[in-house]
Amino acid sequence: MEPRVAGNTDPSRDRRTRPGSLLTGVAAAVGAVTLTTVGQSFTPLKAFDLLAPRHPDHGPQALPVNRTAAAAGVSQVSAAAYRLTVSGPNPYTLTLEELAALAQHESVLPIACVEGWSKSAHWTGVRMTDLLRRAGAPPDARVRVTSLERYGAYRVMEMGREYAHDPLTLLALKLNGQPLTPDHGYPARIIAPNRPGVLQTKWVTRLEVL
Ligand SMILES: Nc1nc2c(c(=O)[nH]1)N[C@H]1C(S)=C(S)[C@@H](COP(=O)(O)O)O[C@H]1N2
Ligand SMILES: [Mo]
């Protein structure tokens, strides 16, 4: 409770008690928010909340999922059909088998989503800098990364030199010792240090040396 001060003439105090369109509008907005919240709290699907993808302790491979493979339309990536194409001075294409046969490295790095969760994981894959060097990229090259996802704000991402050539930056094939699940970007996804989750591109199919 606010202390009541005798003789207070602050006009804002009066305005608050006056019924008017502003207060009515606020009340309506509060009502709308409450209705939305109630709708969420009492959904019959409440029981499945424990498995909700954004819960930091859940999701396949003990890592939350922001956008699922189904939502991105890439849930059926065939290992046989997959290709990684790398453009640059010496362009090349790799099958998944060839990618997996390159030197594999490990990084322990988090996914830090702007939606408010962060979770560290153990990643295994090919160093971005190795892939770029193989394409004849100079050591200061940047890279554009493209996902198999057809639409979506995070389909294409660019990475500056300091990330592209960081030895921790991987085109990851494994998460916590297992091949990536579709939701985590099977068969290959970016993991790089000190970048927001939105730039950790999943379902990577193309690298372009810039
Ligand atoms: N292609 C693609 N990659 C993406 C996204 C996406 O929508 N499409 N979402 C990003 C976001 S917002 C986050 S937080 C991370 C989450 O990775 P995870 O689902 O493996 O935990 O993936 C990123 N990579
Ligand atoms: Mo995110």
Side-chain angles (χ1 to χ4, degrees):
M1 274 294 280
E2 243 175 276
R4 296 191 68 98
V5 179
N8 188 338
T9 53
D10 178 355
S12 68
R13 178 174 281 275
D14 288 313
R15 208 177 296 133
R16 262 192 285 138
T17 57
R18 195 186 301 150
S21 56
L22 177 64
L23 275 182
T24 312
V26 169
V30 169
V33 169
T34 306
L35 274 182
T36 311
T37 313
V38 165
Q40 281 169 359
S41 308
F42 293 105
T43 165
L45 295 176
K46 177 73 180 170
F48 294 100
D49 269 12
L50 267 181
L51 301 172
R54 287 186 183 82
H55 192 292
D57 292 331
H58 298 279
Q61 299 175 309
L63 187 73
V65 171
N66 178 287
R67 189 164 202 214
T68 64
V74 291
S75 38
Q76 305 289 339
V77 180
S78 130
Y82 174 82
R83 295 292 182 276
L84 174 74
T85 65
V86 186
S87 71
N90 308 315
Y92 60 91
T93 298
L94 297 176
T95 64
L96 185 53
E97 212 175 338
E98 289 167 334
L99 195 53
L102 299 181
Q104 304 290 305
H105 294 270
E106 304 194 348
S107 299
V108 177
L109 288 171
I111 299 273
C113 180
V114 291
E115 288 188 7
W117 54 266
S118 176
K119 186 109 200 255
S120 190
H122 191 124
W123 308 91
T124 311
V126 182
R127 278 186 176 148
M128 177 62 84
T129 190
D130 290 351
L131 292 168
L132 297 182
R133 200 179 306 125
R134 187 186 171 114
D140 63 346
R142 297 181 305 121
V143 62
R144 181 181 298 130
V145 177
T146 303
S147 172
L148 283 167
E149 184 186 356
R150 285 222 227 127
Y151 315 97
Y154 312 130
R155 191 181 75 88
V156 180
M157 168 277 283
E158 284 182 18
M159 200 185 253
R161 178 202 56 80
E162 67 274 32
Y163 301 106
H165 298 276
D166 189 309
L168 291 177
T169 300
L170 303 179
L171 183 64
L173 306 179
K174 289 186 174 181
L175 163 54
N176 294 332
Q178 300 296 323
L180 295 169
T181 60
D183 284 346
H184 287 307
Y186 178 85
R189 65 103 43 90
I190 296 293
I191 186 74
N194 303 316
R195 304 202 97 203
V198 291
L199 300 180
Q200 310 282 22
T201 312
K202 304 196 272 193
W203 316 292
V204 169
T205 190
R206 183 170 176 79
L207 304 177
E208 294 164 82
V209 173
L210 302 177

Coordinates of all heavy atoms in Angstrom, one line a residue, residues 23-102:
L23 N -8.0 3.6 -18.4 CA -8.1 2.5 -17.5 C -8.9 1.3 -18.1 O -8.5 0.2 -17.9 CB -8.7 2.9 -16.2 CG -7.7 3.6 -15.2 CD1 -8.5 3.9 -13.9 CD2 -6.6 2.6 -14.9
T24 N -9.9 1.6 -18.8 CA -10.7 0.6 -19.4 C -9.9 -0.2 -20.4 O -9.9 -1.4 -20.4 CB -11.9 1.2 -20.1 OG1 -12.5 2.2 -19.2 CG2 -12.9 0.2 -20.5
G25 N -9.1 0.6 -21.1 CA -8.2 -0.1 -22.1 C -7.2 -1.0 -21.4 O -7.0 -2.2 -21.8
V26 N -6.6 -0.5 -20.3 CA -5.7 -1.4 -19.6 C -6.4 -2.6 -19.1 O -5.8 -3.7 -19.2 CB -5.0 -0.6 -18.4 CG1 -4.3 -1.5 -17.5 CG2 -4.1 0.5 -19.0
A27 N -7.5 -2.4 -18.5 CA -8.3 -3.6 -18.0 C -8.5 -4.6 -19.1 O -8.4 -5.8 -18.9 CB -9.6 -3.1 -17.3
A28 N -8.9 -4.1 -20.2 CA -9.2 -5.0 -21.3 C -7.9 -5.8 -21.7 O -7.9 -7.0 -21.9 CB -9.7 -4.3 -22.5
A29 N -6.8 -5.1 -21.7 CA -5.5 -5.7 -22.1 C -5.1 -6.8 -21.1 O -4.7 -7.9 -21.4 CB -4.4 -4.7 -22.2
V30 N -5.3 -6.4 -19.8 CA -5.0 -7.4 -18.7 C -5.9 -8.6 -18.9 O -5.5 -9.8 -18.8 CB -5.2 -6.7 -17.3 CG1 -5.1 -7.8 -16.3 CG2 -4.1 -5.7 -17.1
G31 N -7.2 -8.4 -19.2 CA -8.1 -9.5 -19.4 C -7.6 -10.4 -20.5 O -7.7 -11.6 -20.4
A32 N -7.2 -9.8 -21.6 CA -6.8 -10.6 -22.8 C -5.6 -11.4 -22.4 O -5.5 -12.6 -22.7 CB -6.4 -9.6 -23.9
V33 N -4.6 -10.8 -21.7 CA -3.4 -11.6 -21.3 C -3.8 -12.7 -20.4 O -3.4 -13.9 -20.5 CB -2.4 -10.7 -20.6 CG1 -1.3 -11.5 -19.9 CG2 -1.8 -9.7 -21.6
T34 N -4.7 -12.4 -19.4 CA -5.2 -13.5 -18.5 C -5.8 -14.6 -19.2 O -5.6 -15.8 -19.0 CB -6.1 -12.9 -17.5 OG1 -5.5 -11.7 -16.9 CG2 -6.5 -13.9 -16.4
L35 N -6.7 -14.3 -20.2 CA -7.4 -15.3 -21.0 C -6.3 -16.2 -21.7 O -6.4 -17.4 -21.7 CB -8.3 -14.7 -22.0 CG -9.7 -14.3 -21.5 CD1 -10.5 -13.8 -22.6 CD2 -10.4 -15.6 -20.9
T36 N -5.3 -15.6 -22.3 CA -4.3 -16.3 -23.0 C -3.6 -17.3 -22.1 O -3.4 -18.4 -22.3 CB -3.3 -15.3 -23.6 OG1 -4.0 -14.3 -24.3 CG2 -2.4 -16.1 -24.6
T37 N -3.2 -16.7 -20.9 CA -2.5 -17.5 -19.9 C -3.3 -18.7 -19.4 O -2.8 -19.8 -19.3 CB -2.1 -16.6 -18.7 OG1 -1.5 -15.4 -19.3 CG2 -1.1 -17.3 -17.9
V38 N -4.6 -18.4 -19.1 CA -5.5 -19.4 -18.7 C -5.6 -20.5 -19.7 O -5.5 -21.7 -19.4 CB -6.9 -18.8 -18.3 CG1 -7.9 -19.9 -18.2 CG2 -6.8 -18.0 -17.0
G39 N -5.7 -20.1 -21.0 CA -5.8 -21.0 -22.1 C -4.6 -22.0 -22.1 O -4.7 -23.2 -22.3
Q40 N -3.4 -21.4 -21.8 CA -2.2 -22.2 -21.8 C -2.1 -23.1 -20.6 O -1.8 -24.3 -20.7 CB -0.9 -21.3 -21.8 CG -0.7 -20.8 -23.2 CD 0.4 -19.7 -23.2 OE1 0.9 -19.3 -22.2 NE2 0.7 -19.2 -24.4
S41 N -2.6 -22.6 -19.4 CA -2.4 -23.4 -18.2 C -3.3 -24.6 -18.1 O -3.0 -25.6 -17.6 CB -2.7 -22.5 -17.0 OG -1.9 -21.3 -17.1
F42 N -4.5 -24.4 -18.7 CA -5.5 -25.4 -18.6 C -5.7 -26.3 -19.8 O -6.7 -27.0 -19.9 CB -6.8 -24.8 -18.1 CG -6.7 -24.3 -16.7 CD1 -6.7 -22.9 -16.5 CD2 -6.6 -25.1 -15.6 CE1 -6.5 -22.4 -15.2 CE2 -6.5 -24.6 -14.3 CZ -6.4 -23.3 -14.1
T43 N -4.8 -26.2 -20.8 CA -4.9 -27.0 -21.9 C -4.8 -28.5 -21.5 O -4.1 -28.9 -20.6 CB -3.8 -26.7 -23.0 OG1 -3.7 -27.8 -23.9 CG2 -2.4 -26.6 -22.3
P44 N -5.6 -29.4 -22.2 CA -5.5 -30.8 -21.9 C -4.1 -31.4 -22.2 O -3.8 -32.5 -21.7 CB -6.5 -31.4 -22.8 CG -7.2 -30.3 -23.5 CD -6.6 -29.0 -23.2
L45 N -3.3 -30.6 -22.9 CA -1.9 -31.1 -23.2 C -0.9 -30.9 -22.1 O 0.2 -31.1 -22.2 CB -1.4 -30.5 -24.5 CG -2.2 -30.9 -25.8 CD1 -1.7 -30.2 -27.0 CD2 -2.2 -32.4 -26.0
K46 N -1.4 -30.3 -21.0 CA -0.5 -29.9 -19.9 C 0.4 -31.1 -19.5 O 1.5 -30.9 -19.2 CB -1.4 -29.5 -18.7 CG -0.6 -29.2 -17.4 CD 0.1 -27.8 -17.6 CE 0.8 -27.5 -16.3 NZ 1.7 -26.4 -16.5
A47 N -0.1 -32.3 -19.5 CA 0.7 -33.4 -19.1 C 1.9 -33.6 -20.0 O 2.9 -34.1 -19.5 CB -0.2 -34.7 -19.2
F48 N 1.9 -33.0 -21.2 CA 3.1 -33.2 -22.1 C 4.1 -32.1 -21.9 O 5.1 -32.1 -22.5 CB 2.6 -33.2 -23.5 CG 1.8 -34.5 -23.8 CD1 0.4 -34.4 -23.9 CD2 2.4 -35.7 -24.0 CE1 -0.3 -35.5 -24.2 CE2 1.7 -36.8 -24.3 CZ 0.3 -36.8 -24.4
D49 N 3.8 -31.1 -21.0 CA 4.7 -30.0 -20.7 C 6.1 -30.5 -20.3 O 7.1 -29.9 -20.7 CB 4.2 -29.1 -19.7 CG 3.3 -28.0 -20.3 OD1 3.0 -28.1 -21.4 OD2 3.0 -27.0 -19.6
L50 N 6.2 -31.6 -19.6 CA 7.5 -32.1 -19.2 C 8.4 -32.4 -20.4 O 9.6 -32.4 -20.3 CB 7.3 -33.4 -18.4 CG 7.2 -33.2 -16.9 CD1 7.1 -34.5 -16.2 CD2 8.5 -32.5 -16.4
L51 N 7.7 -32.8 -21.5 CA 8.5 -33.1 -22.7 C 8.6 -31.9 -23.7 O 9.1 -32.1 -24.8 CB 7.8 -34.3 -23.4 CG 7.7 -35.6 -22.6 CD1 6.8 -36.6 -23.3 CD2 9.0 -36.1 -22.3
A52 N 8.1 -30.8 -23.2 CA 8.1 -29.6 -24.1 C 9.6 -29.4 -24.6 O 10.5 -29.4 -23.8 CB 7.6 -28.4 -23.4
P53 N 9.7 -29.1 -25.9 CA 11.1 -29.0 -26.4 C 11.9 -27.9 -25.8 O 13.1 -28.1 -25.7 CB 10.9 -28.7 -27.9 CG 9.4 -28.4 -28.1 CD 8.7 -29.0 -26.9
R54 N 11.4 -26.8 -25.4 CA 12.2 -25.7 -24.9 C 12.6 -25.9 -23.4 O 13.3 -25.1 -22.9 CB 11.5 -24.4 -25.1 CG 11.5 -24.0 -26.5 CD 10.9 -22.6 -26.7 NE 10.8 -22.2 -28.1 CZ 9.8 -22.6 -28.9 NH1 8.9 -23.3 -28.5 NH2 9.8 -22.2 -30.2
H55 N 12.1 -26.9 -22.8 CA 12.5 -27.1 -21.4 C 14.0 -27.5 -21.4 O 14.4 -28.5 -22.1 CB 11.7 -28.2 -20.7 CG 11.8 -28.3 -19.2 ND1 13.0 -28.7 -18.7 CD2 11.0 -27.9 -18.2 CE1 12.9 -28.6 -17.4 NE2 11.7 -28.2 -17.1
P56 N 14.8 -26.8 -20.6 CA 16.3 -27.0 -20.8 C 16.7 -28.4 -20.4 O 17.8 -28.8 -20.8 CB 16.9 -26.0 -19.8 CG 15.8 -25.1 -19.4 CD 14.5 -25.7 -19.7
D57 N 15.9 -29.2 -19.7 CA 16.4 -30.5 -19.3 C 15.9 -31.6 -20.3 O 16.1 -32.8 -20.1 CB 16.0 -30.9 -17.9 CG 16.7 -30.0 -16.9 OD1 17.9 -29.6 -17.2 OD2 16.1 -29.7 -15.9
H58 N 15.1 -31.2 -21.3 CA 14.5 -32.2 -22.1 C 14.8 -32.0 -23.6 O 15.5 -31.1 -23.9 CB 13.0 -32.2 -21.8 CG 12.7 -32.6 -20.4 ND1 12.7 -33.9 -20.0 CD2 12.4 -31.8 -19.3 CE1 12.4 -33.9 -18.7 NE2 12.3 -32.7 -18.3
G59 N 14.2 -32.8 -24.4 CA 14.5 -32.8 -25.8 C 15.4 -33.9 -26.2 O 16.1 -34.5 -25.3
P60 N 15.5 -34.3 -27.4 CA 16.3 -35.4 -27.8 C 17.8 -35.1 -27.5 O 18.2 -34.0 -27.6 CB 16.1 -35.6 -29.3 CG 15.5 -34.3 -29.8 CD 14.8 -33.7 -28.6
Q61 N 18.5 -36.1 -27.1 CA 19.9 -36.0 -26.8 C 20.2 -35.0 -25.7 O 21.2 -34.3 -25.6 CB 20.7 -35.7 -28.0 CG 20.6 -36.8 -29.1 CD 21.3 -36.4 -30.4 OE1 21.0 -35.4 -31.0 NE2 22.1 -37.4 -30.9
A62 N 19.2 -34.8 -24.7 CA 19.4 -34.0 -23.6 C 19.6 -32.5 -23.9 O 20.3 -31.8 -23.2 CB 20.5 -34.5 -22.6
L63 N 19.1 -32.1 -25.0 CA 19.3 -30.7 -25.5 C 17.9 -30.2 -26.0 O 17.3 -30.9 -26.8 CB 20.3 -30.6 -26.6 CG 20.7 -29.2 -27.0 CD1 21.6 -28.5 -25.9 CD2 21.5 -29.2 -28.3
P64 N 17.5 -29.0 -25.6 CA 16.2 -28.5 -26.1 C 16.2 -28.3 -27.6 O 17.3 -28.2 -28.2 CB 16.1 -27.2 -25.4 CG 17.0 -27.2 -24.3 CD 18.1 -28.1 -24.7
V65 N 15.0 -28.2 -28.2 CA 14.9 -27.9 -29.6 C 14.1 -26.7 -29.8 O 13.0 -26.5 -29.2 CB 14.2 -29.1 -30.3 CG1 13.9 -28.8 -31.7 CG2 15.1 -30.3 -30.2
N66 N 14.6 -25.8 -30.6 CA 13.8 -24.6 -30.9 C 12.9 -24.8 -32.1 O 11.7 -24.8 -31.9 CB 14.8 -23.4 -31.2 CG 14.1 -22.1 -31.6 OD1 13.5 -22.1 -32.6 ND2 14.0 -21.2 -30.7
R67 N 13.5 -25.1 -33.2 CA 12.6 -25.5 -34.4 C 12.9 -26.9 -34.7 O 14.0 -27.3 -35.0 CB 13.0 -24.6 -35.6 CG 12.1 -24.7 -36.7 CD 12.2 -23.6 -37.7 NE 11.0 -23.5 -38.5 CZ 10.9 -23.1 -39.8 NH1 12.0 -22.9 -40.4 NH2 9.8 -23.1 -40.4
T68 N 11.8 -27.7 -34.8 CA 11.9 -29.1 -35.0 C 12.2 -29.3 -36.5 O 11.8 -28.5 -37.4 CB 10.7 -29.9 -34.6 OG1 9.6 -29.4 -35.4 CG2 10.4 -29.7 -33.2
A69 N 12.7 -30.5 -36.9 CA 12.9 -30.9 -38.3 C 11.5 -30.9 -39.0 O 11.5 -30.4 -40.2 CB 13.6 -32.3 -38.4
A70 N 10.5 -31.4 -38.4 CA 9.2 -31.4 -39.0 C 8.7 -30.0 -39.3 O 8.2 -29.7 -40.4 CB 8.2 -32.1 -38.1
A71 N 8.9 -29.1 -38.4 CA 8.5 -27.7 -38.6 C 9.3 -27.1 -39.8 O 8.8 -26.2 -40.5 CB 8.7 -26.9 -37.3
A72 N 10.6 -27.5 -39.9 CA 11.4 -26.9 -41.0 C 11.3 -27.7 -42.3 O 11.9 -27.3 -43.3 CB 12.9 -26.9 -40.5
G73 N 10.5 -28.8 -42.2 CA 10.3 -29.6 -43.5 C 11.5 -30.4 -43.9 O 11.7 -30.7 -45.1
V74 N 12.4 -30.8 -42.9 CA 13.6 -31.5 -43.3 C 13.7 -32.8 -42.4 O 14.8 -33.2 -42.1 CB 14.8 -30.7 -43.2 CG1 14.9 -29.6 -44.3 CG2 15.0 -30.0 -41.8
S75 N 12.6 -33.4 -42.1 CA 12.7 -34.5 -41.2 C 13.1 -35.8 -41.8 O 13.5 -36.8 -41.2 CB 11.3 -34.7 -40.5 OG 10.3 -34.5 -41.3
Q76 N 13.2 -35.8 -43.2 CA 13.5 -37.1 -43.9 C 14.8 -37.0 -44.7 O 14.8 -37.4 -45.8 CB 12.3 -37.5 -44.8 CG 10.9 -37.6 -44.2 CD 10.8 -38.8 -43.3 OE1 11.6 -39.7 -43.4 NE2 9.9 -38.7 -42.3
V77 N 15.8 -36.5 -44.1 CA 17.1 -36.3 -44.9 C 17.7 -37.7 -45.0 O 17.9 -38.4 -44.1 CB 18.1 -35.4 -44.1 CG1 19.4 -35.3 -44.9 CG2 17.5 -34.0 -43.9
S78 N 17.9 -38.1 -46.3 CA 18.5 -39.4 -46.5 C 20.0 -39.3 -46.5 O 20.6 -38.5 -47.2 CB 18.0 -40.0 -47.8 OG 19.1 -40.4 -48.7
A79 N 20.7 -40.2 -45.7 CA 22.1 -40.2 -45.6 C 22.7 -40.4 -47.0 O 23.8 -39.8 -47.3 CB 22.6 -41.3 -44.7
A80 N 22.1 -41.2 -47.8 CA 22.7 -41.5 -49.2 C 22.6 -40.3 -50.1 O 23.5 -40.1 -50.9 CB 21.9 -42.7 -49.8
A81 N 21.5 -39.6 -50.0 CA 21.3 -38.4 -50.9 C 22.0 -37.2 -50.4 O 22.2 -36.3 -51.2 CB 19.8 -38.2 -51.0
Y82 N 22.4 -37.1 -49.2 CA 22.9 -35.9 -48.6 C 24.2 -35.5 -49.3 O 25.1 -36.4 -49.6 CB 23.2 -36.0 -47.1 CG 23.9 -34.8 -46.5 CD1 23.2 -33.7 -46.1 CD2 25.3 -34.9 -46.3 CE1 23.9 -32.6 -45.6 CE2 26.0 -33.8 -45.8 CZ 25.2 -32.6 -45.4 OH 25.9 -31.6 -44.9
R83 N 24.4 -34.2 -49.6 CA 25.7 -33.7 -50.1 C 26.0 -32.4 -49.4 O 25.1 -31.6 -49.1 CB 25.6 -33.4 -51.6 CG 25.4 -34.6 -52.5 CD 26.6 -35.5 -52.5 NE 26.4 -36.7 -53.4 CZ 25.8 -37.8 -53.1 NH1 25.3 -37.9 -51.9 NH2 25.7 -38.8 -53.9
L84 N 27.3 -32.2 -49.0 CA 27.8 -30.9 -48.6 C 28.5 -30.3 -49.8 O 29.5 -30.9 -50.2 CB 28.7 -31.1 -47.4 CG 29.4 -29.7 -47.0 CD1 28.4 -28.8 -46.3 CD2 30.6 -29.9 -46.1
T85 N 28.1 -29.2 -50.2 CA 28.9 -28.5 -51.3 C 29.6 -27.3 -50.7 O 29.0 -26.6 -49.9 CB 28.0 -28.1 -52.5 OG1 27.1 -27.1 -52.0 CG2 27.2 -29.2 -53.0
V86 N 30.8 -27.2 -51.1 CA 31.6 -26.1 -50.6 C 32.2 -25.3 -51.8 O 32.8 -25.9 -52.7 CB 32.8 -26.6 -49.8 CG1 33.6 -25.4 -49.1 CG2 32.3 -27.5 -48.7
S87 N 31.8 -24.0 -51.9 CA 32.2 -23.2 -53.0 C 33.4 -22.3 -52.5 O 33.5 -22.0 -51.4 CB 31.1 -22.3 -53.5 OG 30.8 -21.3 -52.6
G88 N 34.3 -22.0 -53.5 CA 35.5 -21.2 -53.1 C 36.4 -21.4 -54.3 O 36.1 -21.9 -55.4
P89 N 37.7 -21.0 -54.1 CA 38.7 -21.1 -55.2 C 38.8 -22.6 -55.7 O 38.9 -22.8 -56.9 CB 40.0 -20.7 -54.5 CG 39.5 -19.7 -53.5 CD 38.2 -20.2 -53.0
N90 N 38.7 -23.6 -54.8 CA 38.7 -25.0 -55.2 C 37.4 -25.6 -54.6 O 37.4 -26.3 -53.6 CB 39.9 -25.7 -54.5 CG 41.2 -25.0 -54.8 OD1 41.5 -24.6 -56.0 ND2 42.0 -24.8 -53.8
P91 N 36.3 -25.5 -55.4 CA 35.0 -26.0 -54.9 C 35.0 -27.6 -54.8 O 35.8 -28.2 -55.6 CB 34.0 -25.5 -55.9 CG 34.8 -25.2 -57.1 CD 36.2 -24.9 -56.7
Y92 N 34.2 -28.1 -53.9 CA 34.1 -29.6 -53.9 C 32.8 -30.0 -53.2 O 32.1 -29.1 -52.6 CB 35.3 -30.2 -53.1 CG 35.4 -29.7 -51.7 CD1 34.8 -30.4 -50.6 CD2 36.2 -28.6 -51.3 CE1 34.9 -30.0 -49.3 CE2 36.3 -28.2 -50.0 CZ 35.6 -28.9 -49.0 OH 35.7 -28.4 -47.7
T93 N 32.5 -31.2 -53.4 CA 31.2 -31.8 -52.8 C 31.6 -33.0 -52.1 O 32.4 -33.8 -52.5 CB 30.2 -32.1 -53.9 OG1 29.9 -30.9 -54.6 CG2 28.9 -32.7 -53.4
L94 N 31.0 -33.2 -50.9 CA 31.3 -34.4 -50.1 C 30.0 -35.2 -49.8 O 28.9 -34.5 -49.5 CB 31.9 -34.0 -48.8 CG 33.3 -33.3 -48.8 CD1 33.7 -33.0 -47.3 CD2 34.3 -34.2 -49.4
T95 N 30.0 -36.5 -49.8 CA 28.9 -37.3 -49.3 C 29.0 -37.3 -47.7 O 30.1 -36.9 -47.2 CB 29.0 -38.7 -49.8 OG1 30.2 -39.3 -49.3 CG2 29.0 -38.8 -51.3
L96 N 28.0 -37.8 -47.1 CA 28.1 -37.9 -45.6 C 29.2 -38.8 -45.2 O 29.9 -38.5 -44.2 CB 26.7 -38.3 -45.1 CG 26.6 -38.4 -43.6 CD1 26.9 -37.0 -42.9 CD2 25.2 -38.8 -43.2
E97 N 29.4 -39.9 -45.9 CA 30.4 -40.8 -45.6 C 31.8 -40.2 -45.7 O 32.7 -40.3 -44.9 CB 30.4 -42.0 -46.6 CG 30.8 -43.3 -46.1 CD 30.6 -44.4 -47.1 OE1 29.7 -44.3 -48.0 OE2 31.3 -45.5 -47.0
E98 N 32.0 -39.4 -46.8 CA 33.3 -38.7 -46.9 C 33.5 -37.6 -45.9 O 34.6 -37.5 -45.4 CB 33.3 -38.0 -48.3 CG 33.4 -39.0 -49.5 CD 33.1 -38.4 -50.8 OE1 32.4 -37.4 -50.9 OE2 33.7 -39.0 -51.8
L99 N 32.4 -37.0 -45.5 CA 32.5 -36.0 -44.4 C 32.9 -36.6 -43.1 O 33.8 -36.1 -42.4 CB 31.1 -35.3 -44.3 CG 31.0 -34.0 -43.5 CD1 32.0 -32.9 -44.0 CD2 29.6 -33.5 -43.6
A100 N 32.3 -37.8 -42.8 CA 32.6 -38.5 -41.6 C 34.0 -39.1 -41.6 O 34.5 -39.5 -40.5 CB 31.6 -39.6 -41.4
A101 N 34.6 -39.2 -42.8 CA 35.9 -39.8 -42.9 C 37.0 -38.8 -42.7 O 38.2 -39.1 -42.6 CB 36.1 -40.5 -44.3
L102 N 36.7 -37.5 -42.7 CA 37.6 -36.4 -42.5 C 38.0 -36.4 -41.0 O 37.3 -37.0 -40.2 CB 37.1 -35.1 -42.9 CG 36.7 -34.9 -44.4 CD1 36.2 -33.4 -44.6 CD2 37.9 -35.2 -45.3

